[in-house]
Amino acid sequence: MININSKLPTVGTTIFTVMSKLAADHQAINLSQGFPDYGTDEKLVAAINQAMKDGFNQYAPMAGYLPLREHIAEKTEQFYNAKYNPETEITITAGGTQAIFTAINTFITAGDEVIIFEPAYDCYAPAIKLLGGLVKPFELQAPNYKIDWEMVKKLFTANTKMIIINSPHNPTGSILRKEDIDALIKLTKDTDIIILSDEVYEHIIFDGEQHQSLALYPELAQRSFIVASFGKLLHTTGWKIGYRLAPAKLMAEFRKVHQFNVFSVNTPMQVGIANYLKSSNIYQEIPVFFQQKRDFFQQLLKETKFELLPCKGAYFQCVSYRHISDEKDTDFAQKLVTDFGVATIPLSAFYTKNVDHKVLRFCFAKENSTLEKAVEKLKKL
């Protein structure tokens, strides 16, 4: 018998895997895990195939295919008026999660404290704990999930090494606004704190709001790793292609770890995406596309007993069921699968202490017909 000293003794299978399996087992409509059930652009698929036929099938450069990095630099300057050197300040990664893990691995050592905002994407805390870091969660409250920065300030100590922010936010659909950015600038001024900004839903933002990328603010950009994802942008979550922006000094340290983590990322995907984006209007199309999805889904949900919570970005709609049941959100979510045939995500899974506000998360990155079928089932509650 081998004795194993687990580095993550309290961590089990992710809630996404659990709920997706439950959905499959019960042949339920899966609105839990955040992936589309519709196809991607055939022109993009053709561009990937052409890259393979053109011989782009060997290792890419460690930092990524240079024309793709150059495109990212141009796009970042266009949207955020920020200049990033594609040679030294942009790195292509195997999805957003790898970029997040590698950035944490680059800078966090035993005893370092990292502030996160919960409910939080579930990879943040385990990555910190793996490295001996201490997670300092700040719990956000339903229904608006606003950050009280004066209270956040109380979490700061001499050991605070990093703050992780996420906007548009998974799972709540909330966004950071200019007053949040001003508070973050004030809190981190004259410190050595690094900011990890998870911006994978940057272009999925609604109602005329502006995405408050940290690239917009030089005083934050100088201390920030910004994470983005082509999976969310191109409806291709299974391709696992993302990227990282950071000042050269920070990026040099990131690449030291990245090269021994994945070294380089899928070459034909990078080449195909770079060629596709030359002639695509997807940056303008994406917010319109998903706002139509959100509005359509919200109208459908108004026919149910759920209370809709605000959704300003990302492709998740949160709902409260407190007027329907006092069951634990995990139990209620399981009942929706087994008894009504719809899979969701209970928000307590995104809190370290499993805080239960009686809130569920639906993914609306689905065919309209899928959403209609799901809501017909939910109307039976």
Side-chain angles (χ1 to χ4, degrees), residues 122-168:
D122 67 346
C123 81
Y124 302 159
I128 296 162
K129 292 174 182 176
L130 274 173
L131 300 163
L134 179 64
V135 179
K136 300 288 287 290
F138 184 87
E139 293 181 2
L140 304 176
Q141 302 296 315
N144 294 314
Y145 300 100
K146 285 187 168 294
I147 298 174
D148 183 336
W149 291 100
E150 286 301 313
M151 294 299 291
V152 172
K153 186 176 181 181
K154 296 179 181 179
L155 294 179
F156 278 58
T157 74
N159 295 322
T160 303
K161 186 66 173 284
M162 180 181 284
I163 299 174
I164 302 179
I165 62 172
N166 174 208
S167 181

Coordinates of all heavy atoms in Angstrom, one line a residue, residues 122-168:
D122 N -13.4 28.3 -10.2 CA -12.9 27.3 -9.3 C -11.4 26.9 -9.4 O -10.9 26.1 -8.6 CB -13.8 26.0 -9.3 CG -13.6 25.3 -10.6 OD1 -13.1 25.8 -11.6 OD2 -14.1 24.1 -10.7
C123 N -10.7 27.4 -10.4 CA -9.2 27.1 -10.4 C -8.4 28.0 -9.6 O -7.2 27.6 -9.3 CB -8.8 27.1 -11.9 SG -8.4 28.7 -12.5
Y124 N -8.9 29.1 -9.1 CA -8.0 30.1 -8.5 C -7.5 29.5 -7.1 O -6.2 29.4 -6.9 CB -8.7 31.4 -8.1 CG -9.3 32.1 -9.3 CD1 -10.4 33.1 -9.0 CD2 -8.9 32.0 -10.6 CE1 -10.9 33.8 -10.1 CE2 -9.5 32.7 -11.6 CZ -10.5 33.6 -11.4 OH -11.0 34.3 -12.4
A125 N -8.4 29.1 -6.2 CA -7.9 28.7 -4.9 C -7.1 27.5 -4.9 O -6.0 27.4 -4.2 CB -9.2 28.5 -4.0
P126 N -7.4 26.4 -5.7 CA -6.5 25.2 -5.7 C -5.1 25.5 -6.1 O -4.1 25.0 -5.6 CB -7.2 24.3 -6.6 CG -8.7 24.7 -6.5 CD -8.6 26.2 -6.4
A127 N -5.0 26.4 -7.2 CA -3.6 26.7 -7.7 C -2.8 27.4 -6.6 O -1.6 27.1 -6.4 CB -3.8 27.6 -8.9
I128 N -3.4 28.3 -5.8 CA -2.7 29.0 -4.8 C -2.3 28.0 -3.7 O -1.2 28.0 -3.2 CB -3.7 30.1 -4.2 CG1 -4.0 31.2 -5.2 CG2 -3.0 30.7 -2.9 CD1 -5.2 32.0 -4.9
K129 N -3.2 27.1 -3.3 CA -2.9 26.2 -2.2 C -1.8 25.2 -2.6 O -1.0 24.8 -1.8 CB -4.2 25.4 -1.9 CG -5.3 26.3 -1.2 CD -6.6 25.5 -1.0 CE -7.6 26.4 -0.4 NZ -8.9 25.7 -0.2
L130 N -1.8 24.8 -3.9 CA -0.8 23.9 -4.4 C 0.6 24.4 -4.1 O 1.6 23.6 -3.9 CB -0.9 23.6 -5.9 CG -1.9 22.5 -6.3 CD1 -2.0 22.5 -7.8 CD2 -1.4 21.1 -5.8
L131 N 0.8 25.7 -4.1 CA 2.1 26.4 -4.0 C 2.4 26.8 -2.5 O 3.3 27.5 -2.3 CB 2.1 27.6 -4.9 CG 2.0 27.2 -6.4 CD1 1.6 28.4 -7.2 CD2 3.2 26.5 -6.9
G132 N 1.5 26.4 -1.6 CA 1.6 26.8 -0.2 C 1.2 28.2 0.1 O 1.4 28.7 1.2
G133 N 0.5 28.8 -0.9 CA -0.1 30.2 -0.6 C -1.3 30.1 0.2 O -1.9 29.1 0.4
L134 N -1.7 31.3 0.7 CA -2.9 31.4 1.6 C -4.0 32.1 0.8 O -3.7 33.3 0.4 CB -2.6 32.1 2.9 CG -3.7 32.3 3.9 CD1 -4.3 31.0 4.4 CD2 -3.3 33.2 5.1
V135 N -5.1 31.5 0.7 CA -6.2 32.2 0.0 C -7.0 33.1 1.0 O -7.4 32.6 2.0 CB -7.2 31.1 -0.6 CG1 -8.4 31.8 -1.3 CG2 -6.5 30.2 -1.5
K136 N -7.1 34.3 0.6 CA -7.9 35.3 1.4 C -9.1 35.7 0.6 O -9.2 36.6 -0.2 CB -7.0 36.6 1.7 CG -5.7 36.3 2.4 CD -5.9 35.9 3.9 CE -6.3 37.1 4.7 NZ -5.3 38.1 4.9
P137 N -10.2 34.9 0.8 CA -11.4 35.2 0.0 C -12.3 36.4 0.6 O -12.4 36.5 1.8 CB -12.2 33.9 0.2 CG -11.8 33.3 1.5 CD -10.4 33.8 1.7
F138 N -12.8 37.2 -0.3 CA -13.7 38.2 0.0 C -15.0 37.8 -0.5 O -15.2 37.7 -1.7 CB -13.3 39.6 -0.5 CG -14.2 40.7 -0.1 CD1 -14.0 41.4 1.1 CD2 -15.3 41.1 -0.9 CE1 -14.8 42.4 1.5 CE2 -16.1 42.1 -0.5 CZ -15.9 42.7 0.7
E139 N -16.0 37.6 0.3 CA -17.3 37.1 -0.1 C -18.3 38.2 -0.6 O -18.6 39.1 0.1 CB -18.0 36.3 1.1 CG -17.2 35.1 1.5 CD -17.9 34.3 2.6 OE1 -19.0 34.8 3.1 OE2 -17.4 33.3 3.0
L140 N -18.7 38.1 -1.9 CA -19.6 39.0 -2.4 C -21.0 38.5 -2.2 O -21.3 37.3 -2.1 CB -19.4 39.1 -4.0 CG -18.0 39.5 -4.4 CD1 -17.8 39.5 -5.9 CD2 -17.6 40.9 -3.8
Q141 N -21.9 39.4 -2.1 CA -23.3 39.1 -1.7 C -24.3 39.3 -2.9 O -24.2 40.2 -3.7 CB -23.8 40.0 -0.6 CG -22.9 39.9 0.7 CD -22.9 38.5 1.3 OE1 -23.9 37.9 1.5 NE2 -21.7 38.0 1.7
A142 N -25.2 38.3 -3.0 CA -26.3 38.4 -4.0 C -27.2 39.6 -3.5 O -27.3 39.9 -2.3 CB -27.1 37.1 -4.0
P143 N -27.9 40.3 -4.4 CA -28.0 39.9 -5.9 C -27.0 40.6 -6.8 O -26.9 40.2 -7.9 CB -29.5 40.3 -6.2 CG -29.7 41.6 -5.4 CD -28.9 41.3 -4.1
N144 N -26.4 41.7 -6.3 CA -25.5 42.5 -7.2 C -24.1 42.2 -7.2 O -23.3 42.6 -8.1 CB -25.7 44.0 -6.9 CG -27.1 44.5 -7.1 OD1 -27.7 44.2 -8.2 ND2 -27.7 45.2 -6.2
Y145 N -23.6 41.5 -6.2 CA -22.2 41.0 -6.1 C -21.2 42.2 -6.2 O -20.2 42.1 -6.9 CB -21.9 39.9 -7.1 CG -22.8 38.7 -6.9 CD1 -24.0 38.5 -7.7 CD2 -22.5 37.8 -5.9 CE1 -24.8 37.4 -7.4 CE2 -23.3 36.7 -5.7 CZ -24.5 36.5 -6.4 OH -25.3 35.4 -6.2
K146 N -21.5 43.3 -5.6 CA -20.6 44.5 -5.7 C -19.5 44.3 -4.7 O -19.7 43.7 -3.6 CB -21.4 45.8 -5.4 CG -22.3 46.2 -6.5 CD -22.9 47.6 -6.2 CE -23.5 48.2 -7.5 NZ -22.5 48.5 -8.5
I147 N -18.3 44.9 -5.0 CA -17.2 44.8 -4.1 C -17.2 46.0 -3.2 O -17.2 47.2 -3.6 CB -15.9 44.8 -4.9 CG1 -15.9 43.6 -5.8 CG2 -14.7 44.8 -4.0 CD1 -14.7 43.5 -6.8
D148 N -17.1 45.8 -1.9 CA -16.9 46.8 -0.9 C -15.4 47.0 -0.7 O -14.8 46.2 0.1 CB -17.6 46.5 0.4 CG -17.5 47.6 1.5 OD1 -16.6 48.4 1.4 OD2 -18.3 47.6 2.4
W149 N -14.8 47.9 -1.3 CA -13.3 48.1 -1.3 C -12.8 48.5 0.0 O -11.6 48.1 0.4 CB -12.9 49.0 -2.4 CG -13.1 48.4 -3.8 CD1 -14.1 48.7 -4.6 CD2 -12.3 47.5 -4.4 NE1 -14.0 48.0 -5.8 CE2 -12.9 47.2 -5.7 CE3 -11.1 46.8 -4.1 CZ2 -12.4 46.3 -6.6 CZ3 -10.6 45.9 -5.0 CH2 -11.2 45.7 -6.3
E150 N -13.5 49.2 0.8 CA -13.1 49.5 2.2 C -12.9 48.2 3.0 O -12.0 48.1 3.9 CB -14.1 50.5 2.9 CG -14.0 51.9 2.3 CD -12.6 52.5 2.5 OE1 -12.0 52.4 3.6 OE2 -12.1 53.1 1.5
M151 N -13.8 47.3 2.8 CA -13.7 46.0 3.5 C -12.6 45.2 3.0 O -11.9 44.5 3.7 CB -15.1 45.3 3.4 CG -16.2 45.9 4.2 SD -15.9 46.1 5.9 CE -16.0 44.4 6.5
V152 N -12.4 45.2 1.7 CA -11.3 44.5 1.0 C -9.9 45.0 1.6 O -9.0 44.2 1.9 CB -11.3 44.7 -0.5 CG1 -10.0 44.1 -1.1 CG2 -12.5 44.1 -1.1
K153 N -9.8 46.3 1.9 CA -8.6 46.8 2.4 C -8.2 46.1 3.7 O -7.0 46.0 4.0 CB -8.8 48.3 2.7 CG -7.5 49.1 3.1 CD -7.8 50.6 3.2 CE -6.6 51.3 3.6 NZ -6.8 52.8 3.7
K154 N -9.2 45.7 4.5 CA -8.9 45.0 5.8 C -8.2 43.6 5.6 O -7.6 43.1 6.6 CB -10.1 44.9 6.6 CG -10.8 46.2 7.0 CD -12.0 46.1 7.8 CE -12.6 47.4 8.1 NZ -13.9 47.3 8.9
L155 N -8.3 43.1 4.4 CA -7.6 41.8 4.1 C -6.1 42.0 3.8 O -5.4 41.0 3.8 CB -8.3 41.1 2.9 CG -9.7 40.7 3.1 CD1 -10.2 40.0 1.8 CD2 -9.9 39.7 4.2
F156 N -5.7 43.2 3.5 CA -4.3 43.4 3.2 C -3.4 43.2 4.4 O -3.7 43.7 5.5 CB -4.1 44.9 2.7 CG -4.5 45.0 1.2 CD1 -5.7 44.7 0.7 CD2 -3.5 45.5 0.3 CE1 -6.1 44.9 -0.6 CE2 -3.8 45.7 -1.0 CZ -5.1 45.4 -1.5
T157 N -2.3 42.5 4.2 CA -1.2 42.4 5.2 C 0.1 42.6 4.5 O 0.2 42.7 3.3 CB -1.3 41.0 5.9 OG1 -0.7 40.0 5.0 CG2 -2.7 40.7 6.3
A158 N 1.2 42.5 5.3 CA 2.5 42.6 4.7 C 2.8 41.4 3.7 O 3.7 41.4 2.9 CB 3.6 42.6 5.8
N159 N 2.0 40.3 3.9 CA 2.2 39.1 3.1 C 1.4 39.0 1.8 O 1.4 38.1 1.1 CB 2.0 37.8 3.9 CG 3.0 37.7 5.0 OD1 4.1 38.0 4.9 ND2 2.5 37.2 6.2
T160 N 0.5 40.1 1.6 CA -0.3 40.1 0.4 C 0.6 40.2 -0.9 O 1.3 41.2 -1.0 CB -1.3 41.2 0.4 OG1 -2.1 41.1 1.6 CG2 -2.2 41.2 -0.8
K161 N 0.5 39.2 -1.7 CA 1.3 39.2 -2.9 C 0.6 39.4 -4.2 O 1.1 39.9 -5.2 CB 2.1 37.8 -3.0 CG 3.1 37.7 -4.1 CD 4.3 38.6 -3.8 CE 5.4 38.3 -4.8 NZ 6.2 37.1 -4.6
M162 N -0.7 39.0 -4.2 CA -1.5 39.0 -5.4 C -3.0 39.2 -5.2 O -3.5 38.8 -4.1 CB -1.3 37.7 -6.2 CG -2.0 37.6 -7.5 SD -1.8 36.0 -8.4 CE -0.1 36.2 -9.0
I163 N -3.6 39.9 -6.1 CA -5.1 40.0 -6.1 C -5.6 39.5 -7.4 O -5.0 39.8 -8.5 CB -5.5 41.5 -6.0 CG1 -5.1 42.1 -4.7 CG2 -7.1 41.6 -6.1 CD1 -5.3 43.6 -4.6
I164 N -6.6 38.6 -7.4 CA -7.2 38.1 -8.6 C -8.6 38.7 -8.8 O -9.4 38.6 -7.9 CB -7.3 36.6 -8.5 CG1 -5.9 35.9 -8.3 CG2 -7.9 36.0 -9.8 CD1 -6.0 34.4 -8.2
I165 N -8.8 39.3 -10.0 CA -10.1 39.9 -10.3 C -10.6 39.3 -11.6 O -9.8 38.7 -12.4 CB -10.0 41.4 -10.4 CG1 -9.1 41.9 -11.6 CG2 -9.6 42.1 -9.1 CD1 -9.2 43.3 -11.9
N166 N -11.9 39.4 -11.8 CA -12.5 38.7 -12.9 C -13.7 39.5 -13.4 O -14.7 39.7 -12.7 CB -12.9 37.3 -12.5 CG -13.7 36.6 -13.6 OD1 -14.6 35.7 -13.3 ND2 -13.5 36.9 -14.8
S167 N -13.6 40.1 -14.6 CA -14.7 40.9 -15.1 C -14.6 40.8 -16.7 O -13.5 41.0 -17.2 CB -14.6 42.4 -14.7 OG -15.6 43.1 -15.2
P168 N -15.8 40.6 -17.3 CA -17.0 40.2 -16.8 C -16.9 38.9 -16.0 O -16.0 38.1 -16.3 CB -17.9 40.0 -18.0 CG -17.3 40.9 -19.1 CD -15.8 40.9 -18.8

